[in-house]
């Protein structure tokens, strides 16, 4: 989909919210709508035009690219308030929507004091919910690198190396394979640290008899993958093997159920009920998954009671887990593209327990 | 300095702002005050106590550490609003300060609707301005790894390799040397891309006759370094050598002038006037530097007209640059500790032009 159609998605909000302009400040939406991936700068979409407002650091790039935006140079003298007030005046704008989840309270206060129009917070998280073909290609490429990295790392893990060394090797491999960077801080949680769902890699050494959970992702052309695998080093206690099999089964059933028309709440319950029936319900304390795209966590959450419905073109994660304090944990995560025929996994590493 | 003294720094704001409680939400301040480096969770400091409010992912860690905080488990049922309202009731709190730069407008709206007390935005950026001995040790260690990485990378750069390959090698080296990660996205800008002050590494290959600006940093124990060097590959045009020497001289003079009692505005002008007199004033479009610590950019900015005064224990960057559109650019950056006797550079790579 071209940028123009994406901008029209934003303009479609004008009627819903009875507004004439929307100010975009989140890096992910600025990239989605205007190829600008930066924490600074703004996009202002009005009925008549669309403005890309950046400081001198980005102005040369923006100006040189032939694009559908009117480039505006922001500086100490010609600040964002002056720029927007001029556009307000020129186009007779009475009301501007802004990304209230993104803009800080202090920045809002300044806007509200200095802009000569009414302001209101609106949520644009749904505009990126359905991925187009180009986006899916990038996510697929990010998933492929993640799969290859997993395949590589199982040959690297051995008794006595630290979680940090595993993380470093993963990141090195990802970059060498053309991933821009990891899409979030890599989690490597071994042994009893596996009970920490967000146990970032530590100096702890990995020992035989432990499960090792690795949750990592790749950023490729500004799109993310996000994969988790738990592997065993040597023989682990039966309890851990049992929870592995339960988590694996719960995940597989959820993937089977990820079809257009199903609510995300129902999808979450598919996996959750299996884990509950297995007796570990209270040890699965997070959502089943989340949307995935330019951000590693984006709308929608695959959460209990969510009424949002799966639609063709969504990409979500499915990542059940069980975390036993003082014992260890298991999580298995796939990235799933919703197609007419059902959920298709974009991550393809083996889900069966690998014993190293 | 221990956490208790840091918390007292926050309590010192109670009188200034006529308040009885301050809510901390920024990851950097949560780490500074409570060793919690996470985007989720809160610290609430009241007259009587201090609360570390986290969800189940962090609760085990927080609870197990013997610490000076009262740990509170936050969940869907026992959400942040309920938790704070209970403390408001228990302690008779009428007014809570929050980090308005950090909290989103939407979250503020929820707080303002649901909390049973008055709210106001306050700025805590100054509490971390003066670094204690432990902090300086960590910044020094982060600078040492950055210096070593620069020393390593000059042996790696050659005709025909891409900026991305330089970035990947820098990051690989940093992690291998014990840096947790890069402290921001590494900038590698060669040839005419050197005119982009924030030119992140691209697929462009580096060619003989070009200057290459590398701006990178290391995160070590959650403290940052930030260094920039510009090197030459082969013989460069004289214009580039001239601006290199001008930038180098401007930076050296500023470092000499970085003494306790000097205003940051004056320090900025020291370098800026040299570049202006050289005829390149309008090609130095950014501040001279910024504070450095848990965040790679933190208070104070070394900016024109700043009245803030240098104090012993501050750590700032000094990073003049000249950027000539269509030609190239130069920036040289050091991390400077302010001591009684003047500025001491924590980065120690050669400032003289290295020709590869």
């Amino acid at each position: 989909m071209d940028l123009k159609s994406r901008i029209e998605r934003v303009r479609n909000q004008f009627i819903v919210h009875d507004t004439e302009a929307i100010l975009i400040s989140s890096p992910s939406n600025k990239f989605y709508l205007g190829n600008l991936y930066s924490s600074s700068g703004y996009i202002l979409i009005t009925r008549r035009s669309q403005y890309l407002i950046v400081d001198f650091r980005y102005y040369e790039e923006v100006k040189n690219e032939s694009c559908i935006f009117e480039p505006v140079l922001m500086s100490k003298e010609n600040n964002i308030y002056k720029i927007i007030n001029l556009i307000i005046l020129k186009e007779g704008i009475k009301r501007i929507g802004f990304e209230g989840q993104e803009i800080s309270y202090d920045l809002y206060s300044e806007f509200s004091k200095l802009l000569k129009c009414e302001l209101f917070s609106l949520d644009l998280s749904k505009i990126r919910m359905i991925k187009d073909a180009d986006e899916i290609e990038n996510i697929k490429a990010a998933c492929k690198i993640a799969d290859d990295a997993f395949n590589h790392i199982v040959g690297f893990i051995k008794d006595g190396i630290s979680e940090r060394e595993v993380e470093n090797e993963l990141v090195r491999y990802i970059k060498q394979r053309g991933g821009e960077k990891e899409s979030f801080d890599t989690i490597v949680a071994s042994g009893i640290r596996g009970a920490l769902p967000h146990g970032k890699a530590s100096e702890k050494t990995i020992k035989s008899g432990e499960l090792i959970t690795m949750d990592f992702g790749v950023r490729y052309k500004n799109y993310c993958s996000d994969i988790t695998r738990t592997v065993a080093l040597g023989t682990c206690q039966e309890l851990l093997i049992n929870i592995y099999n339960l988590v694996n089964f719960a995940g597989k059933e959820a993937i089977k159920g990820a079809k257009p028309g199903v609510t995300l709440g129902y999808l979450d319950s598919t996996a959750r009920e299996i884990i509950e029936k297995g007796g570990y319900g209270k040890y699965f304390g997070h959502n089943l998954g989340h949307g995935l795209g330019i951000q590693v966590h984006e709308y929608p959450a695959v959460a209990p009671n969510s009424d949002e419905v799966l639609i063709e073109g969504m990409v979500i994660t499915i990542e059940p887990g069980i975390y036993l304090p003082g014992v260890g944990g298991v999580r298995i995560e796939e990235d799933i593209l919703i197609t007419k025929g059902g959920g298709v996994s974009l991550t393809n590493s083996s889900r069966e327990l690998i014993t190293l």
Side-chain angles (χ1 to χ4, degrees), chain A:
Chain A
M1 194 163 53
D2 57 9
L3 296 185
K4 270 195 174 166
S5 318
R6 291 179 181 177
I7 290 166
E8 285 312 311
R9 277 195 190 175
V10 177
R11 280 212 181 87
N12 289 341
Q13 303 287 315
F14 283 5
I15 298 165
V16 187
H17 293 286
D18 187 25
T19 192
E20 299 143 309
I22 292 177
L23 182 69
I24 316 286
S25 55
S26 65
S28 43
N29 281 338
K30 283 184 290 193
F31 175 72
Y32 185 69
L33 298 166
N35 279 332
L36 175 70
Y37 202 90
S38 166
S39 58
S40 86
Y42 298 89
I43 289 175
L44 182 66
I45 298 176
T46 67
R47 283 196 202 280
R48 283 198 229 160
S49 188
Q50 47 272 340
Y51 305 87
L52 199 46
I53 306 161
V54 295
D55 67 29
F56 81 103
R57 294 174 299 174
Y58 302 96
Y59 191 64
E60 288 302 316
E61 283 179 84
V62 166
K63 209 181 56 177
N64 291 338
E65 275 179 38
S66 83
C67 79
I68 52 176
F69 286 91
E70 293 187 38
V72 184
L73 176 63
M74 177 168 73
S75 65
K76 268 180 196 155
E77 298 71 37
N78 194 37
N79 63 31
I80 185 68
Y81 315 109
K82 279 193 194 169
I83 292 167
I84 296 179
N85 277 334
L86 208 68
I87 298 169
I88 287 174
L89 203 67
K90 195 175 71 177
E91 300 200 16
I93 293 165
K94 293 199 176 54
R95 208 167 126 81
I96 297 182
F98 67 94
E99 294 181 277
Q101 277 192 299
E102 166 69 22
I103 279 188
S104 73
Y105 170 79
D106 283 358
L107 182 56
Y108 161 77
S109 300
E110 287 296 296
F111 276 135
S112 135
K113 210 163 38 184
L114 299 171
L115 293 187
K116 290 171 179 155
C117 75
E118 189 192 331
L119 290 175
F120 71 99
S121 169
L122 92 173
D123 178 6
L124 292 176
S125 56
K126 284 190 184 184
I127 63 169
R128 304 202 317 264
M129 191 170 74
I130 309 298
K131 271 67 184 175
D132 59 43
D134 291 347
E135 295 186 282
I136 291 166
E137 275 319 297
N138 289 338
I139 298 171
K140 272 186 184 168
C143 287
K144 178 73 173 75
I145 299 173
D147 276 333
D148 290 350
F150 175 70
N151 190 40
H152 170 77
I153 207 68
V154 293
F156 180 84
I157 296 171
K158 57 174 191 280
D159 200 335
I161 69 167
S162 71
E163 292 175 353
R164 179 88 65 208
E165 285 171 290
V166 173
E167 176 197 14
N168 290 353
E169 182 61 17
L170 270 171
V171 173
R172 188 198 64 76
Y173 182 89
I174 285 168
K175 288 187 161 257
Q176 184 203 307
R177 276 281 282 102
E180 279 144 44
K181 58 193 299 188
E182 62 272 39
S183 53
F184 56 92
D185 284 350
T186 295
I187 289 169
V188 182
S190 61
I192 60 166
R193 289 193 80 250
L196 306 170
H198 283 69
K200 284 180 196 169
S202 74
E203 301 307 327
K204 177 187 172 301
T205 55
I206 296 169
K207 288 190 240 58
S208 190
E210 289 182 340
L211 288 184
I212 303 117
T213 296
M214 291 168 285
D215 185 350
F216 62 97
V218 175
R219 177 171 282 276
Y220 179 79
K221 294 191 177 172
N222 284 320
Y223 282 82
C224 298
S225 61
D226 183 2
I227 187 173
T228 309
R229 287 295 185 273
T230 300
V231 300
L233 185 61
T235 312
C236 293
Q237 55 171 304
E238 216 183 314
L239 171 61
L240 293 173
I241 308 299
N242 290 342
I243 66 168
Y244 187 96
N245 292 332
L246 188 60
V247 167
N248 192 6
F249 180 65
K252 280 183 186 170
E253 290 300 303
I255 293 167
K256 274 190 214 161
K259 291 177 182 165
V262 170
T263 70
L264 294 167
Y266 184 80
L267 184 62
D268 180 282
S269 72
T270 311
R272 198 167 301 278
E273 281 174 11
I274 291 168
I275 291 174
E276 278 166 4
K277 276 179 196 156
Y280 292 97
K282 71 175 209 167
Y283 301 105
F284 172 30
H286 56 73
N287 292 340
L288 182 62
H290 52 80
L292 182 73
I294 295 172
Q295 286 181 294
V296 69
H297 286 106
E298 58 181 45
Y299 190 86
V302 186
N305 305 320
S306 165
D307 291 332
E308 189 68 66
V309 165
L310 286 175
I311 303 173
E312 210 184 323
M314 279 185 180
V315 177
I316 57 168
T317 69
I318 292 187
E319 47 178 312
I322 295 175
Y323 313 94
L324 304 177
V327 180
V330 170
R331 183 168 62 256
I332 308 172
E333 175 184 28
E334 310 286 12
D335 300 340
I336 304 294
L337 169 66
I338 308 303
T339 72
K340 213 176 282 182
V344 173
S345 189
L346 306 182
T347 39
N348 289 298
S349 299
S350 169
R351 294 179 61 90
E352 300 315 307
L353 183 60
I354 295 174
T355 301
L356 306 173

